[in-house]
Amino acid sequence: MLLLIDLLPLPPSNSTQRAVSEHEHSVQHGNYEPLIRARHKYDQIESELARDRDFRAQWNSIKAHFNVTKFADYKGIIRRRLIAERSMREHWRFRWTKAADRFQAVFDVFCQRWHLYGMRGDHPLLLKLTANLTPFGTMIFIPAIGVSIRNAI
């Protein structure tokens, strides 16, 4: 325990702690809006995606195979599995025996195909520019959606 305590660096300044705390609070609520200059472009892309025939057909097929509401959180959002830094997927064992395992595998591929972090009901939740502070630095995620979305960040 003494070694552990001895290895700890000095804490950051109060102003840095306050800034990090405010950012982490925003991240917990999924608020990355201050990073985005043109929110309306994301809204437009989400709206177009929701009307896309192939997208709707795939989502309806998933809903026909699974009771998707079972996998939603308290906000009604179904999320894909997270991908850690350097695309590490330590906890991504392929399992197909339980319905929940099958759903997660299918949903992860669906989200990858359509560049989503999840669904809220029938509404797609498009990946957006994010920045997350870590003890080692700042991780910035720029979605690989295409040229149209890049103009929104």
Side-chain angles (χ1 to χ4, degrees):
M1 182 62 79
L2 290 175
L3 175 60
L4 175 69
I5 293 169
D6 193 40
L7 290 172
L8 288 172
L10 293 174
S13 69
N14 287 340
S15 62
T16 299
Q17 289 180 45
R18 208 171 14 263
V20 169
S21 176
E22 289 170 7
H23 178 76
E24 287 177 346
H25 183 72
S26 292
V27 168
Q28 285 177 339
H29 291 90
N31 180 16
Y32 292 97
E33 304 310 315
L35 300 174
I36 300 170
R37 284 185 275 157
R39 169 68 193 172
H40 64 281
K41 292 181 182 182
Y42 282 96
D43 293 340
Q44 178 184 352
I45 293 167
E46 283 181 347
S47 178
E48 290 171 4
L49 183 57
R51 292 188 309 269
D52 184 279
R53 182 180 303 144
D54 293 334
F55 171 82
R56 284 193 332 266
Q58 288 183 358
W59 179 236
N60 287 334
S61 181
I62 291 171
K63 292 190 306 181
H65 283 86
F66 302 98
N67 176 7
V68 297
T69 58
K70 218 169 80 170
F71 303 102
D73 65 12
Y74 70 97
K75 296 178 184 177
I77 297 174
I78 305 169
R79 298 176 190 277
R80 66 169 172 74
R81 281 184 275 199
L82 294 176
I83 298 173
E85 63 182 281
R86 298 182 308 219
S87 294
M88 303 236 177
R89 296 177 177 102
E90 293 178 17
H91 304 289
W92 280 39
R93 307 265 186 296
F94 182 78
R95 295 184 180 101
W96 201 252
T97 54
K98 297 178 183 173
D101 296 330
R102 292 189 297 273
F103 171 78
Q104 196 63 62
V106 167
F107 190 70
D108 288 343
V109 171
F110 174 74
C111 286
Q112 181 178 351
R113 162 68 179 87
W114 296 102
H115 305 285
L116 307 175
Y117 72 85
M119 293 287 292
R120 179 184 292 125
D122 290 332
H123 182 78
L125 300 172
L126 195 64
L127 287 167
K128 299 177 195 145
L129 174 73
T130 60
N132 294 292
L133 305 175
T134 76
F136 303 104
T138 303
M139 291 177 43
I140 299 172
F141 175 79
I142 302 169
I145 296 175
V147 175
S148 61
I149 196 68
R150 297 214 187 281
N151 296 328
I153 52 178

